[in-house]
């Protein structure tokens, strides 16, 4: 996929979890289930009562509005660092640099769902990275490659 097409499909800004079921009633609202992981498309919580979310990292997944009171930030499973640099090749992936630290939120086959920390002045991004490119650590101590 070309770089311009990847840039036209921005990645979400945070991972959220649904606190309650919500049945979308209007065309622009999204139906969600309690415990469902969601991707926050834009952080507008200071100016709006509705959050724009989607059901996955990929921009083609269903998206819509849900009340802010029905969602909260998702907690990471563990912290990790990048063993190698990785260039984004698909719309649901995120580019990372060797040594970059991140929070890991889950796995999808051989890929991990991560939120990268800020790196060299660039704000951290969310997306999928290869599992074998990541090493878990706890409280500053390295644990080893993720299984």
């Amino acid at each position: 996929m070309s770089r311009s097409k990847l840039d036209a499909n921005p990645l979400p800004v945070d991972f959220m979890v649904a606190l309650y079921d919500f049945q979308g009633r209007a065309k622009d609202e999204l139906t969600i289930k309690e415990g469902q992981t969601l991707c926050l498309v834009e952080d507008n919580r200071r100016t709006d009562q509705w959050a724009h979310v989607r059901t996955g990292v990929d921009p083609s997944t269903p998206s819509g509005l849900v009340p802010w009171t029905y969602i909260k930030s998702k907690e990471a499973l563990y912290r990790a660092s990048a063993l190698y640099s990785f260039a984004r090749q698909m719309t649901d992936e995120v580019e990372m640099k060797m040594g970059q630290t991140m929070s890991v939120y889950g796995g999808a086959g051989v890929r991990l769902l991560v939120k990268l920390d800020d790196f060299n002045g660039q704000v951290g991004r969310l997306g999928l990275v290869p599992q074998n490119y990541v090493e878990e650590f706890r409280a500053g101590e390295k644990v080893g490659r993720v299984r």
Side-chain angles (χ1 to χ4, degrees), residues 73-103:
S73 292
K74 184 176 176 88
E75 291 187 30
L77 299 174
Y78 57 90
R79 301 278 300 146
S81 62
L83 292 168
Y84 314 101
S85 292
F86 174 72
R88 180 178 179 205
Q89 299 170 3
M90 300 179 70
T91 56
D92 59 356
E93 294 175 335
V94 64
E95 187 169 319
M96 67 180 178
K97 302 292 182 197
M98 184 172 68
Q100 190 165 8
T101 55
M102 65 199 76
S103 297

Side-chain angles (χ1 to χ4, degrees), residues 79 135-147:
R79 301 278 300 146
E135 182 174 53
E136 181 180 353
F137 66 83
R138 291 188 195 110
E141 114 186 23
K142 291 185 178 185
V143 175
R145 283 197 182 182
V146 177
R147 299 176 277 313

